[in-house]
Amino acid sequence: MLLIACPYCGEERPELEFRHAGEAHVARPDPIAEIDDAAFEAFFFLRDNPKGLIWERWRHVHGCGRFFNAVRDTVSDRFITTYKAGEVRREVVRDDEGGYQLKGEER
Amino acid sequence: MRNYSIFALAREALRGHRGWEQQWRSPEPKSRYDVIIIGGGGHGLGTAYYLAKEHGVRNIAVLEKGWLGGGNTGRNTTIIRSNYLYDESAALYDHAVKLWEGLAQELNYNVMYSPRGVMMLAHNVHDVQVFQRHIHANRLNGVDNEWLTPEEAKAYCPPLNIARNARYPVMGAALQRRGGTARHDAVAWGYARAASALGVDIIENCAVTGIRRGSNGAVEGVDTGRGFIAANKVGVVAAGHSSVLMEMAGVRMPLESYPLQALVSEPVKPVFPCVVMSNTVHAYISQSDKGELVIGAGTDQYTSYSQTGGLPVLTHTLDAICEMFPAFSRMRMLRSWGGIVDVTPDRSPILSKTPVAGLYVNCGWGTGGFKATPGSAHVFAHTIAQDAPHPINAPFNLERFRTGRLIDEAAAAAVAH
Ligand SMILES: Cc1cc2nc3c(=O)[nH]c(=O)nc-3n(C[C@H](O)[C@H](O)[C@H](O)COP(=O)(O)OP(=O)(O)OC[C@H]3O[C@@H](n4cnc5c(N)ncnc54)[C@H](O)[C@@H]3O)c2cc1C
């Protein structure tokens, strides 16, 4: 089971308290009624599905109830970081040992 | 290829089994093929077989990064059925069931197709209504499916608990008698052996790392761990890794990859005569010919390529199994494993040409593509050979996510099927 750090509760909690909520940073086109079919397809159906880092949303349904963002490695399922909804996308860099570090916070 | 038969078995028994030959050749890759299939699961190997057998294409390679059937083909719970709701799905899956019926003879390989019946349990009023709707839709499409009362369900599957005070009461069931199981590995091996005999090069331990496109945008070949291999037609049949491969050709896919788990018990004497599925409580069970109970769980909630899933998913499934079959609560589980399944937004597969000339894709089978293996391979071979879809797979195109003509089996099942 994954352990997930909720950025609102400030605590690492078991996955059972959370719901996965799909790709993060997908902006709803505005005004949505005026987009063409290709933009509709991209917004509704096309998704990042990388073997490696994914930016995704989770919701702490059995905790504070809030949505937040996470960066996770889909091969090891390790979380690199979690951060609050609305914050800018966190960039990540690979370190010499093959792990990941937050950009600007490399050790 | 030397035929398998009772006489071959007798001959080899007398000769100490020294005369069996390798089932398929392991050639060095050539520098160019007419068609390259990426992915040595049942769907990819079957595609190569039908390309050679029915379309006269002889210069074909199947490139597999690991070993044959090491993907979802060798990891699934082998449930076969065709009682899907929509006309398009019924046509596709029933095409497969019809091919399953003759597959062992066709391939001269015992794929152990066993139409022992697939029974889907209804636990609440919603289930009853949905299944009855399925039954009517199926019968209009000529697909067998019938309604059973709880007592009839119990008669068909004696271990079932139909007590009225059960935690998940059984209010009836839908039974497809032609549904059942088959031996998963044998499907990959049987297609590989028959394809190899028709001249198909099957190349294991050969991961594709790039798909090259020429200045006109069309496919030119693939980069692999064993060098560049040229081909003007490439078929991607890579299940959970389909997005990764399509990305190599610059095509973004409507797919998300999730872990899906299964487990088997210690082997016991025959106790379980059919396949039972409960979509509502997420439990799928049958008994293999070795005697193990084969139990399928749901997907994890998050996307992943880890090929393992979380323990809560398995415990949830076993809770449900023990409620419905109290007799199994003392059984010990031997092994559990995961596969990575590629899920589309409408839970229907994609068997299609792509925006890239010469590139074809067969993916999106998600949690339920084993049952479709022969049918999928058959129509996909047609799509590649003719550069146009077979009428059966025409609706399962990639454009449907743009045109909106979805085949929404998600609403019909929404869970592992
Ligand atoms: C636990 C579980 C239970 C299931 N239960 C059922 C069931 O009961 N009934 C049912 O109908 N379906 C079921 N399924 C789904 C079913 O297994 C799949 O839909 C089906 O087997 C897919 O077959 P395939 O040939 O397309 O894929 P696979 O068998 O996965 O083959 C794809 C191949 O592509 C290879 N590959 C990937 N990347 C590369 C690369 N870069 N280069 C070269 N090769 C590559 C992989 O190694 C793999 O061997 C289940 C799946 C799982 C995981």
Side-chain angles (χ1 to χ4, degrees), chain B residues 38-44 63-67 69-79 206-208 237-239 241 245 248 260-262 337-341 365-372 417:
Chain B
I38 306 173
H43 291 241
L63 307 183
E64 165 54 50
K65 75 171 173 190
W67 66 94
N72 294 346
T73 296
R75 293 168 186 269
N76 76 91
T77 50
T78 76
I79 299 174
C206 183
V208 171
V237 198
H241 282 76
L245 280 152
M248 294 176 190
L260 179 67
Q261 299 178 82
W337 63 88
I340 300 302
V341 298
W365 291 100
T367 57
F370 177 73
K371 61 176 71 68
H417 51 271

XYZ file of all heavy atoms in Angstrom, chain B residues 38-44 63-67 69-79 206-208 237-239 241 245 248 260-262 337-341 365-372 417, ligand 1:
395
model
N 5.052 -5.397 -32.888
C 5.726 -5.158 -31.605
C 4.863 -5.734 -30.494
O 3.747 -5.260 -30.264
C 5.962 -3.656 -31.365
C 6.708 -3.026 -32.547
C 6.728 -3.440 -30.058
C 6.826 -1.514 -32.455
N 5.373 -6.753 -29.815
C 4.642 -7.366 -28.709
C 4.329 -8.829 -28.984
O 3.551 -9.140 -29.886
N 4.957 -9.717 -28.214
C 4.751 -11.146 -28.387
C 3.783 -11.725 -27.375
O 4.068 -12.724 -26.708
N 2.616 -11.087 -27.238
C 1.517 -11.690 -26.486
C 0.619 -12.413 -27.485
O 0.935 -12.509 -28.679
N -0.511 -12.906 -26.998
C -1.424 -13.637 -27.873
C -1.905 -12.797 -29.048
O -1.978 -13.281 -30.188
N -2.239 -11.523 -28.792
C -2.780 -10.686 -29.866
C -1.729 -10.444 -30.949
O -2.047 -10.459 -32.136
C -3.261 -9.346 -29.314
C -4.489 -9.451 -28.450
N -5.667 -8.821 -28.768
C -4.711 -10.097 -27.287
C -6.572 -9.082 -27.819
N -6.016 -9.851 -26.908
N -0.470 -10.205 -30.556
C 0.580 -9.933 -31.535
C 0.946 -11.178 -32.320
O 1.054 -11.147 -33.560
N 8.494 -8.796 -32.577
C 9.559 -8.404 -31.654
C 8.999 -8.361 -30.236
O 8.016 -7.672 -29.965
C 10.117 -7.021 -32.031
C 10.568 -6.838 -33.484
C 11.150 -5.444 -33.682
C 11.584 -7.906 -33.878
N 9.614 -9.091 -29.352
C 9.136 -9.178 -27.961
C 10.295 -8.817 -27.033
O 11.372 -9.384 -27.128
C 8.626 -10.601 -27.682
C 8.443 -10.943 -26.216
C 7.556 -9.972 -25.433
O 6.454 -9.660 -25.891
O 8.010 -9.514 -24.349
N 10.039 -7.892 -26.106
C 11.153 -7.442 -25.260
C 11.563 -8.497 -24.237
O 12.704 -8.528 -23.805
C 10.817 -6.125 -24.574
C 9.860 -6.245 -23.435
C 9.745 -4.937 -22.669
C 8.627 -5.102 -21.654
N 8.231 -3.906 -20.994
N 10.652 -9.355 -23.838
C 10.991 -10.397 -22.865
C 10.800 -11.765 -23.494
O 11.405 -12.077 -24.504
N 9.935 -12.576 -22.881
C 9.632 -13.892 -23.433
C 8.166 -13.927 -23.861
O 7.375 -13.123 -23.392
C 9.947 -14.979 -22.407
C 9.089 -14.945 -21.187
C 7.947 -15.637 -20.964
C 9.296 -14.147 -19.991
N 7.422 -15.334 -19.721
C 8.221 -14.428 -19.109
C 10.264 -13.223 -19.588
C 8.110 -13.823 -17.857
C 10.143 -12.623 -18.340
C 9.080 -12.932 -17.499
N 4.417 -14.358 -24.225
C 3.352 -14.528 -23.238
C 3.733 -14.041 -21.851
O 3.007 -14.275 -20.887
N 4.856 -13.343 -21.711
C 5.270 -12.855 -20.390
C 4.508 -11.612 -19.953
O 4.625 -11.175 -18.815
N 3.729 -11.053 -20.856
C 2.884 -9.900 -20.507
C 1.549 -10.385 -19.974
O 1.470 -11.409 -19.279
N 0.492 -9.674 -20.318
C -0.817 -10.007 -19.749
C -1.347 -11.347 -20.241
O -2.164 -11.977 -19.562
C -1.811 -8.894 -20.073
C -1.441 -7.607 -19.365
O -0.618 -7.621 -18.452
N -2.025 -6.508 -19.783
N -0.883 -11.785 -21.405
C -1.346 -13.081 -21.905
C -1.073 -14.186 -20.883
O -1.917 -15.050 -20.670
C -0.666 -13.401 -23.252
O -1.085 -12.427 -24.208
C -1.023 -14.795 -23.746
N 0.086 -14.151 -20.249
C 0.414 -15.193 -19.268
C 0.056 -14.819 -17.845
O 0.456 -15.506 -16.900
N -0.668 -13.720 -17.656
C -0.959 -13.253 -16.296
C -2.444 -13.178 -16.004
O -2.847 -12.729 -14.931
C -0.381 -11.845 -16.103
C 1.110 -11.800 -16.125
C 1.647 -10.385 -16.223
N 3.086 -10.430 -16.383
C 3.957 -10.404 -15.378
N 3.535 -10.277 -14.149
N 5.250 -10.503 -15.600
N -3.276 -13.560 -16.971
C -4.708 -13.271 -16.779
C -5.463 -14.475 -16.250
O -4.941 -15.583 -16.161
C -5.316 -12.748 -18.083
C -5.554 -13.816 -19.097
O -6.624 -14.406 -19.142
N -4.555 -14.112 -19.901
N -6.726 -14.236 -15.883
C -7.544 -15.290 -15.278
C -8.361 -16.053 -16.325
O -9.258 -16.806 -15.977
C -8.477 -14.703 -14.204
O -9.163 -13.587 -14.753
C -7.695 -14.238 -12.996
N -8.091 -15.791 -17.594
C -8.549 -16.575 -18.760
C -10.067 -16.690 -18.938
O -10.552 -17.648 -19.522
C -7.940 -18.003 -18.795
O -8.595 -18.843 -17.845
C -6.449 -17.991 -18.545
N -10.801 -15.718 -18.441
C -12.248 -15.790 -18.632
C -12.593 -15.414 -20.080
O -12.120 -14.404 -20.594
C -12.996 -14.855 -17.663
C -12.691 -15.274 -16.221
C -14.504 -14.871 -17.938
C -13.264 -14.348 -15.174
N 14.071 -8.672 -27.383
C 14.351 -7.637 -28.373
C 13.373 -6.479 -28.153
O 12.305 -6.438 -28.749
C 14.208 -8.231 -29.779
S 14.600 -7.070 -31.095
N 13.754 -5.560 -27.257
C 12.874 -4.431 -26.941
C 12.973 -3.368 -28.014
O 14.063 -3.033 -28.469
C 13.256 -3.832 -25.586
N 11.816 -2.846 -28.409
C 11.791 -1.716 -29.338
C 12.013 -0.441 -28.531
O 11.341 -0.204 -27.523
C 10.442 -1.663 -30.086
C 10.308 -0.375 -30.882
C 10.312 -2.878 -30.992
N 1.253 -3.814 -30.572
C 0.321 -4.685 -29.847
C 0.923 -4.930 -28.466
O 1.274 -6.048 -28.108
C 0.109 -6.023 -30.588
C -1.168 -6.705 -30.091
C 0.017 -5.838 -32.094
N 1.070 -3.858 -27.693
C 1.920 -3.917 -26.499
C 1.158 -3.736 -25.195
O 1.779 -3.441 -24.162
C 3.026 -2.880 -26.622
N -0.162 -3.914 -25.200
C -0.977 -3.844 -23.978
C -0.582 -2.634 -23.127
O -0.617 -1.501 -23.600
C -0.900 -5.156 -23.221
N 2.010 -1.196 -22.330
C 3.061 -0.291 -22.813
C 2.716 0.401 -24.123
O 3.583 1.022 -24.743
C 4.378 -1.062 -22.977
C 5.076 -1.309 -21.675
N 4.673 -2.264 -20.791
C 6.145 -0.695 -21.102
C 5.467 -2.248 -19.732
N 6.368 -1.303 -19.886
N 5.010 3.130 -26.527
C 5.454 2.871 -27.902
C 4.881 3.889 -28.878
O 5.579 4.379 -29.768
C 5.080 1.450 -28.310
C 6.087 0.439 -27.742
C 5.452 -0.903 -27.528
C 7.303 0.330 -28.645
N 6.670 7.041 -29.052
C 7.902 6.985 -29.861
C 7.632 7.425 -31.301
O 8.543 7.858 -31.995
C 8.480 5.564 -29.886
C 8.982 5.056 -28.548
S 9.510 3.319 -28.716
C 9.763 2.900 -26.977
N -3.331 -4.664 -12.502
C -4.478 -5.544 -12.241
C -3.910 -6.832 -11.670
O -2.928 -7.362 -12.195
C -5.246 -5.825 -13.531
C -6.459 -6.758 -13.401
C -7.556 -6.103 -12.565
C -7.023 -7.125 -14.770
N -4.508 -7.327 -10.590
C -3.935 -8.471 -9.894
C -4.817 -9.713 -9.955
O -6.024 -9.631 -10.148
C -3.713 -8.125 -8.419
C -2.765 -6.976 -8.209
C -2.625 -6.657 -6.744
O -1.863 -7.308 -6.043
N -3.359 -5.673 -6.277
N -4.163 -10.843 -9.749
C -4.880 -12.107 -9.639
C -4.119 -12.985 -8.660
O -2.968 -12.692 -8.304
C -4.983 -12.789 -10.996
N 0.008 -12.003 -8.317
C 0.857 -11.270 -9.262
C 0.041 -10.141 -9.875
O -1.177 -10.077 -9.690
C 1.368 -12.214 -10.356
C 0.277 -12.790 -11.195
C -0.252 -12.234 -12.326
C -0.466 -13.988 -10.942
N -1.271 -13.025 -12.797
C -1.422 -14.107 -11.970
C -0.426 -14.965 -9.942
C -2.327 -15.163 -12.028
C -1.328 -16.020 -10.008
C -2.255 -16.107 -11.045
N 0.728 -9.302 -10.611
C 0.035 -8.201 -11.279
C 0.437 -8.114 -12.737
O 1.512 -8.580 -13.136
N -0.420 -7.530 -13.531
C -0.107 -7.193 -14.921
C -0.489 -5.733 -15.120
O -1.230 -5.177 -14.308
N 0.033 -5.129 -16.182
C -0.291 -3.721 -16.441
C -1.281 -3.654 -17.600
O -0.974 -4.070 -18.714
C 0.982 -2.918 -16.782
C 1.963 -2.992 -15.611
C 0.623 -1.469 -17.082
C 1.428 -2.479 -14.299
N -2.474 -3.152 -17.290
C -3.529 -3.131 -18.298
C -3.783 -1.707 -18.799
O -3.776 -0.754 -18.019
C -4.841 -3.765 -17.767
C -4.605 -5.220 -17.406
C -5.399 -3.013 -16.577
N -7.238 -3.051 -24.474
C -8.043 -4.195 -24.041
C -8.243 -4.202 -22.540
O -9.087 -4.939 -22.020
C -7.393 -5.511 -24.493
C -7.472 -5.665 -25.969
C -6.486 -5.406 -26.872
C -8.622 -6.081 -26.723
N -6.962 -5.640 -28.151
C -8.255 -6.056 -28.080
C -9.912 -6.475 -26.383
C -9.140 -6.407 -29.111
C -10.787 -6.828 -27.394
C -10.404 -6.789 -28.734
N -7.444 -3.421 -21.853
C -7.661 -3.219 -20.427
C -7.683 -4.521 -19.660
O -6.812 -5.371 -19.802
N -8.750 -4.687 -18.871
C -8.840 -5.828 -17.978
C -9.449 -7.051 -18.660
O -9.607 -8.078 -18.021
C -9.730 -5.462 -16.791
O -11.004 -5.041 -17.317
C -9.143 -4.307 -16.001
N -9.796 -6.942 -19.957
C -10.580 -8.053 -20.520
C -10.291 -8.450 -21.946
O -11.214 -8.738 -22.701
N -9.040 -8.520 -22.343
C -8.763 -8.814 -23.743
C -8.346 -10.232 -24.063
O -8.225 -10.590 -25.232
N -8.137 -11.060 -23.040
C -7.716 -12.433 -23.346
C -8.780 -13.130 -24.173
O -8.502 -13.803 -25.171
C -7.431 -13.211 -22.068
C -7.073 -14.653 -22.330
C -5.846 -14.986 -22.864
C -7.981 -15.674 -22.071
C -5.515 -16.310 -23.139
C -7.666 -16.999 -22.345
C -6.435 -17.312 -22.872
N -10.037 -12.963 -23.755
C -11.156 -13.611 -24.433
C -11.228 -13.269 -25.911
O -11.757 -14.013 -26.704
C -12.470 -13.174 -23.775
C -12.701 -11.671 -23.875
C -14.041 -11.254 -23.300
C -14.115 -11.345 -21.791
N -13.241 -10.351 -21.091
N -10.672 -12.103 -26.267
C -10.808 -11.623 -27.641
C -9.637 -12.038 -28.518
O -9.636 -11.754 -29.715
C -10.918 -10.100 -27.628
N -13.364 -7.002 -16.619
C -14.204 -7.969 -17.302
C -13.308 -8.790 -18.201
O -13.454 -9.078 -19.246
C -15.356 -7.312 -18.026
C -14.967 -6.174 -18.925
N -14.890 -4.879 -18.493
C -14.611 -6.146 -20.212
C -14.521 -4.097 -19.498
N -14.330 -4.836 -20.554
C -4.500 -10.136 -13.604
C -5.177 -10.063 -14.940
C -6.358 -10.761 -15.153
C -7.008 -10.708 -16.382
N -8.116 -11.471 -16.561
C -8.698 -11.524 -17.787
C -9.793 -12.409 -18.017
O -10.216 -13.162 -17.133
N -10.360 -12.432 -19.251
C -9.912 -11.630 -20.258
O -10.494 -11.672 -21.341
N -8.851 -10.792 -20.073
C -8.235 -10.719 -18.862
N -7.157 -9.886 -18.660
C -6.714 -9.011 -19.766
C -5.846 -9.775 -20.749
O -4.799 -10.431 -20.075
C -5.234 -8.844 -21.796
O -6.216 -7.972 -22.328
C -4.634 -9.619 -22.964
O -3.937 -10.751 -22.510
C -3.717 -8.718 -23.750
O -2.969 -9.484 -24.681
P -1.869 -8.779 -25.554
O -1.302 -9.826 -26.436
O -2.448 -7.576 -26.195
O -0.830 -8.205 -24.486
P 0.428 -8.890 -23.713
O 0.260 -10.341 -23.527
O 0.681 -8.045 -22.502
O 1.557 -8.676 -24.781
C 2.193 -7.433 -25.014
C 3.670 -7.712 -25.130
O 4.349 -6.533 -25.557
C 5.640 -6.593 -25.025
N 6.264 -5.271 -25.087
C 5.977 -4.171 -24.352
N 6.804 -3.159 -24.668
C 7.625 -3.625 -25.645
C 8.703 -3.034 -26.386
N 9.097 -1.778 -26.173
N 9.328 -3.806 -27.313
C 8.944 -5.094 -27.535
N 7.935 -5.693 -26.845
C 7.289 -4.955 -25.918
C 5.413 -7.087 -23.613
O 6.594 -7.652 -23.067
C 4.311 -8.126 -23.806
O 4.773 -9.441 -23.900
C -6.483 -9.903 -17.432
C -5.298 -9.185 -17.223
C -4.633 -9.266 -15.995
C -3.354 -8.503 -15.803
